[in-house]
Amino acid sequence: MFEKINKMFNLNENLLNLYAKREEILSSNIANSETPNYKAMDINFKDAFKKILKQNNSNSFKITLQRTSENHLTPKLQKNNISLFSIEPIKTKNIKIDGNTVDMNRERIEFIKNTLKYEENLIFIKNEIKNIIHVLKG
């Protein structure tokens, strides 16, 4: 039971981290909208989401071994250092005279969409916790 709960929260934790990082990037793009030669950046959300789902599914079939004797080897935990997302410049044909590639309309829309997804995920987590507490109380 706890593995399922942990798996569910790991997925949501990774999604929240993705949304938070994307919000930083979009904020940086907006802040630098007048900076000469600034190249707007973003995360390929679709690829990052696929990596998160793949990582979450690969963790679902882990078999945990119980150590019943001191002669058993201690498993070494390896931390997954694979980055779930990469930050890349946005490919656009709208380049200003000063070399800046920030499109404020796009940045504002993506910022709002990202913020709503972040909040949606928080509400989902909150409701899941409420459901778990409700089930545990009976």
Side-chain angles (χ1 to χ4, degrees):
M1 178 174 141
F2 290 112
E3 286 185 31
K4 285 185 179 182
I5 293 171
N6 193 27
K7 180 181 169 187
M8 180 188 72
F9 286 119
N10 279 343
L11 173 64
N12 289 305
E13 176 189 358
N14 286 330
L15 287 174
L16 285 175
N17 287 335
L18 177 63
Y19 293 134
K21 185 65 180 174
R22 188 162 190 239
E23 195 158 301
E24 284 178 26
I25 294 167
L26 294 171
S27 297
S28 178
N29 287 344
I30 291 170
N32 288 295
S33 65
E34 300 296 325
T35 304
N37 296 319
Y38 180 81
K39 306 297 180 214
M41 307 295 274
D42 203 353
I43 295 172
N44 186 338
F45 192 83
K46 191 175 179 180
D47 287 346
F49 191 74
K50 283 181 183 177
K51 285 180 184 176
I52 289 171
L53 288 178
K54 186 177 178 182
Q55 183 189 39
N56 197 52
N57 288 336
S58 68
N59 289 340
S60 65
F61 297 107
K62 278 187 177 176
I63 298 172
T64 55
L65 300 176
Q66 187 174 12
R67 198 169 166 219
T68 56
S69 168
E70 290 184 18
N71 295 329
H72 290 164
L73 296 175
T74 305
K76 293 181 181 175
L77 297 175
Q78 292 181 347
K79 193 169 186 169
N80 188 359
N81 291 327
I82 299 171
S83 176
L84 295 175
F85 47 85
S86 60
I87 302 167
E88 302 170 355
I90 298 171
K91 295 175 184 167
T92 181
K93 294 179 180 176
N94 297 331
I95 301 173
K96 296 177 189 170
I97 295 171
D98 62 0
N100 187 309
T101 61
V102 176
D103 178 0
M104 284 301 291
N105 290 330
R106 179 208 175 271
E107 300 303 324
R108 286 184 189 121
I109 291 169
E110 292 299 321
F111 188 86
I112 291 169
K113 283 171 49 179
N114 193 65
T115 302
L116 291 174
K117 287 178 184 177
Y118 186 90
E119 290 181 14
E120 174 187 336
N121 206 5
L122 284 177
I123 291 170
F124 176 79
I125 292 169
K126 181 180 166 186
N127 287 335
E128 286 298 316
I129 291 171
K130 278 184 182 176
N131 287 338
I132 291 169
I133 291 172
H134 181 73
V135 168
L136 291 175
K137 284 183 177 177

